[in-house]
């Protein structure tokens, strides 16, 4: 995957999946140091993320203290915490809030790790709320699928924000930070944005160009907007990622011949069956959601004429039966799952169950399958968390495959996949530049607003003096309106030049550094002090949230 001019740092030990930390090339957006050593180490030398301890507001434990003294102590603690944050303001103001992604995927972590961190879609709002309540996190979004669990945040402080997210992930999953760190990747600013655009375009998928991930990215926006965790940065980044994903699919041939996780699962099952009986084997699909429906669709495309579907409700199965006329679909309720499995040679599982449907004793109790299909029952589990327990993997007459085993299928035509990915990168780069230009333009917005407000206060004040000297009796409504319009016109013309030099939206050749220099100069000349005011507002909000 492209680094956008950055440096890729990989750290891994024997038998471990590599963890990738990518650092952007030196720029304003990544001016803050990563750590005292210049970069993070995954292991083995202690914590990966350095920085000052998080400020925690709490009362000192005292015995036999009066209530009023306790209240004063709490108030003092609040002021002290705010002052400590303000002391660090100079360091914080040297960098704007950072966009970061921290997570793991099929490329960095096995399914055993991913399923422990998976967050069901129904719980995304709760997760977003918890992340946004962290001291140094302003915005957050969660993208959790069978192949990845990624958290996108806007962090007030890079080091502290990442540390807090890692601690949250450890707490919710029950996995120690030291173990998590071996599988996590962390990307910052332009690299984080590029990664999301590549994910949306299907470039980072196990199956290149698969379309389901784009729908999942759209779902993040819908749920995030409802929960209130998607601020302007994350919201715009995800919407631009959706645009990038659509463009890549419409302007390149990356989707031609592309397979999904479901189709790869069907291909894998057919590869493992004897060719003479690959389409006549008894097929069972457990779960009639999106993934299950695609499995049935691809089975029909491969010539399978009959499939049994186990689902909690019959309505979804009826809808699939209505759509797919070329295959016989037989419905069975969930209560008949084990009896239906006893009559199947190949079992596909794709439910949202958070606990395994099949354990070792369940699989052992199933009758053997016929010699014509190799005397081995196949379980193809494309769910995360897994529907088939790992304890069932080593039985003599059963083989269990999960999403990680699909690599065997998707490794085919690797050269063609890489060529298509290169074609898509130019579109990703274009959309990345558009997003960064938009984000750069936000830098000067507070100064523009304060300068306009400052000028308008002077205009209104001088107008009042003028009207008082003339006298209300001498002014008609038309004259008053003309004078007000004149004053507004003068102010607008005077501000036009300075505001033009604050424009930074990628539509002119002015460099960002020059624009920021102009902004700082105006802040000094008119004592606008926008940066510190905005920072203190953010800090105060976080302190109040910590207290509550």
């Amino acid at each position: 995957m492209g680094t956008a001019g950055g440096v890729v740092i990989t750290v891994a030990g024997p038998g471990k999946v590599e963890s990738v930390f990518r650092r952007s090339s030196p720029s304003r957006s990544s001016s803050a140091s990563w750590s005292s050593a210049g970069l993070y180490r995954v292991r083995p030398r202690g914590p990966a993320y350095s920085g000052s301890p998080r400020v925690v507001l709490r009362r000192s434990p005292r015995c036999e203290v009066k209530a009023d003294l306790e209240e004063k102590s709490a108030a003092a603690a609040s002021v002290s915490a705010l002052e400590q944050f303000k002391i660090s303001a100079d360091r914080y103001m040297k960098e704007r809030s950072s966009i970061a992604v921290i997570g793991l995927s099929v490329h960095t972590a096995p399914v055993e790790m991913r399923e422990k961190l998976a967050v069901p879609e129904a719980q995304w709002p709760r997760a977003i709320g918890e992340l946004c309540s962290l001291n140094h996190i302003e915005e957050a979004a969660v993208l959790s699928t069978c192949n990845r669990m990624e958290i996108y945040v806007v962090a007030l402080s890079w080091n502290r924000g990442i540390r807090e997210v890692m601690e949250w992930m450890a707490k919710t999953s029950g996995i120690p930070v030291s173990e998590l760190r071996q599988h996590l990747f962390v990307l910052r600013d332009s690299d984080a944005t590029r990664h999301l655009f590549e994910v949306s375009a299907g470039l980072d998928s196990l199956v290149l160009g698969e379309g389901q991930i784009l729908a999942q990215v759209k779902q993040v926006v819908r749920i995030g907007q409802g929960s209130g965790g998607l601020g302007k940065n994350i919201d715009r980044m995800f919407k631009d990622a959706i645009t990038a994903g659509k463009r890549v699919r419409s302007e390149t041939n990356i989707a031609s011949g592309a397979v999904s996780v479901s189709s790869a699962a069907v291909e894998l099952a057919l590869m493992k069956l004897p060719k003479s009986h690959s389409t006549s084997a008894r097929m069972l699909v457990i779960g009639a959601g999106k993934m299950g429906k695609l499995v049935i669709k691809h089975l029909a495309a491969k010539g399978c004429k009959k499939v049994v579907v186990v689902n909690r409700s019959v309505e979804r199965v009826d809808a699939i039966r209505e759509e797919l006329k070329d295959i016989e679909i037989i419905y069975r309720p969930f209560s008949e799952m084990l009896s239906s499995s006893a009559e199947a040679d190949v079992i596909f599982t794709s439910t949202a169950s958070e606990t395994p449907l099949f354990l070792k004793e369940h699989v052992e109790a199933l009758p053997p399958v016929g010699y014509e299909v190799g005397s081995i029952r196949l379980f193809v589990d494309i769910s995360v968390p897994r529907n088939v327990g790992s304890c069932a993997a080593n039985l003599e007459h059963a083989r269990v495959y999960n999403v990680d085993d699909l690599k065997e299928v998707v490794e085919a035509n690797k050269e063609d996949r890489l060529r298509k990915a290169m074609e898509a990168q130019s579109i990703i780069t274009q959309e990345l530049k558009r997003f960064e230009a938009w984000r750069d333009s936000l830098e000067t917005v507070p100064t523009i607003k304060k300068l306009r407000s400052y000028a308008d206060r002077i205009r209104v004040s001088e107008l009042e003096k003028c009207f008082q000297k003339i006298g209300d009796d001498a002014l008609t409504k038309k004259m008053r309106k003309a004078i007000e319009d004149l004053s507004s016109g003068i102010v607008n013309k005077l501000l036009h030049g300075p505001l033009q030099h604050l424009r930074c939206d990628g539509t002119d050749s002015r460099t960002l550094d020059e624009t920021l220099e102009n902004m700082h100069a105006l802040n000094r000349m008119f004592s606008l002090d926008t940066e510190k005011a905005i920072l203190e507002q953010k800090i105060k909000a976080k302190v109040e949230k910590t207290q509550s």
Side-chain angles (χ1 to χ4, degrees), residues 403-442:
V403 288
D404 287 358
D405 296 309
L406 301 183
K407 294 176 183 178
E408 182 179 344
V409 176
V410 300
E411 278 299 309
N413 302 320
K414 189 172 183 179
E415 290 185 6
D416 185 50
R417 286 157 48 85
L418 293 174
R419 180 181 57 79
K420 291 178 179 179
M422 290 177 65
E423 293 175 2
Q425 283 296 342
S426 61
I427 296 174
I428 297 292
T429 299
Q430 291 171 17
E431 293 299 326
L432 178 62
K433 287 180 179 178
R434 285 182 62 248
F435 173 76
E436 290 187 330
W438 170 83
R439 192 161 182 246
D440 288 341
S441 70
L442 299 180

Side-chain angles (χ1 to χ4, degrees), residues 119-125 144 216 219 223 290:
V119 179
E121 191 175 292
Q123 296 180 23
W124 287 3
S144 182
Q216 290 162 336
Q219 189 66 2
I223 292 177
K290 293 179 182 178

Side-chain angles (χ1 to χ4, degrees), residues 198-250:
E198 290 174 346
V199 167
S200 183
L203 300 184
D204 194 60
S205 297
L206 179 63
V207 181
L208 185 76
E210 59 102 355
Q212 192 171 4
I213 186 63
L214 181 58
Q216 290 162 336
V217 171
K218 291 178 180 178
Q219 189 66 2
V220 171
V221 175
R222 282 193 288 268
I223 292 177
Q225 288 176 335
S227 69
L230 255 62
K232 60 185 176 184
N233 289 279
I234 296 278
D235 182 68
R236 176 63 181 258
M237 182 173 69
F238 268 79
K239 287 178 178 176
D240 284 0
I242 293 169
T243 300
K246 289 179 178 178
R247 283 193 60 195
V248 166
R249 287 172 174 82
S250 64

Side-chain angles (χ1 to χ4, degrees), residues 286 309-313 331-341 357:
I286 300 177
V309 180
V310 170
N311 197 55
R312 297 191 186 280
S313 63
Y331 168 73
R332 294 284 184 269
F334 232 88
S335 58
E336 297 181 20
M337 182 186 73
L338 292 178
S339 59
S340 300
S341 299
L357 303 178

Side-chain angles (χ1 to χ4, degrees), residues 306-372:
K306 178 180 176 181
V307 62
V308 177
V309 180
V310 170
N311 197 55
R312 297 191 186 280
S313 63
V314 69
E315 289 78 15
R316 283 191 175 183
V317 180
D318 287 341
I320 296 172
R321 187 186 291 121
E322 189 67 25
E323 183 178 341
L324 305 176
K325 302 290 188 179
D326 297 333
I327 185 171
E328 180 184 0
I329 300 174
I330 301 171
Y331 168 73
R332 294 284 184 269
F334 232 88
S335 58
E336 297 181 20
M337 182 186 73
L338 292 178
S339 59
S340 300
S341 299
E343 300 172 357
D345 301 318
V346 181
I347 301 171
F348 297 90
T349 61
S350 61
T351 79
S353 174
E354 295 185 25
T355 56
L357 303 178
F358 292 92
L359 298 175
K360 182 179 180 180
E361 55 267 27
H362 299 137
V363 179
E364 285 180 326
L366 297 176
V369 297
Y371 70 90
E372 64 275 5

Side-chain angles (χ1 to χ4, degrees), residues 96 120 138 175 189 229 266 317 342 349-350 376 400 407 428 436 448 500 507 511:
R96 66 176 176 184
E138 298 177 78
I175 304 172
D189 290 329
V266 171
V317 180
T349 61
S350 61
I376 295 176
V400 179
K407 294 176 183 178
I428 297 292
E436 290 187 330
I448 292 173
Q500 278 293 100
T507 59
T511 66

